[in-house]
Amino acid sequence: MQLDLRPASSEALRLGTAAFGAVSAWLLIFGLTGLFLRYLDTHNATWRYLSDASYWMYIMHPVAVLSFQMMVAEADLAAGVKCVIALTGSTAVLLASYQLLVRRTWVGVLLNGKRAEAPVEAGVLGSGVLAGDTPQA
């Protein structure tokens, strides 16, 4: 048996690279999902707020990012600095616009659905037991 040491054809290399890229992407998705489920599987008001704002930010980010890119395009700054300015500026504007224009309006209901009512704590009603609750023995 003789070992063939010729380089792989460009087609085989292209297919191998595409397969490696696809497998890498899926492994990254599964790995990040596992990390989030392991370490961030608790209720957190900040994550909830960002989760609610994410759809608005996804829809509106092209306008905000392009606006900031046009503002810093002619500035005499490094490309990385311009990128950071565009990223942080557009994120701040999008979060502020979500809070002021979307969160408690019909647009917020359209994007995120109706907000659940806050649960009433035991003792707030005065009896210590909510209607329909059965006392535990």
Side-chain angles (χ1 to χ4, degrees):
M1 180 172 164
Q2 194 171 15
L3 184 62
D4 186 11
L5 298 176
R6 291 179 295 178
S9 71
S10 63
E11 183 66 20
L13 185 60
R14 187 181 69 80
L15 288 174
T17 302
F20 178 77
V23 170
S24 297
W26 277 107
L27 290 176
L28 179 67
I29 290 168
F30 287 134
L32 288 175
T33 301
L35 284 173
F36 273 85
L37 288 174
R38 170 84 189 252
Y39 296 109
L40 297 173
D41 194 25
T42 60
H43 179 73
N44 184 315
T46 302
W47 286 116
R48 175 58 192 230
Y49 184 85
L50 292 174
S51 173
D52 288 346
S54 66
Y55 192 38
W56 171 255
M57 293 174 72
Y58 169 71
I59 292 171
M60 297 305 295
H61 85 273
V63 175
V65 171
L66 186 60
S67 299
F68 274 94
Q69 286 175 341
M70 288 177 10
M71 282 190 270
V72 298
E74 298 300 322
D76 189 26
L77 298 170
V81 174
K82 291 179 183 181
C83 182
V84 169
I85 291 170
L87 178 67
T88 55
S90 61
T91 300
V93 166
L94 288 169
L95 285 173
S97 69
Y98 173 74
Q99 179 66 33
L100 298 172
L101 304 174
V102 176
R103 186 154 195 225
R104 305 218 185 271
T105 67
W106 64 270
V107 179
V109 173
L110 180 69
L111 294 176
N112 299 324
K114 187 174 179 189
R115 296 179 62 88
E117 295 292 326
V120 179
E121 295 179 22
V124 173
L125 299 177
S127 67
V129 178
L130 296 176
D133 286 352
T134 55
Q136 296 180 358

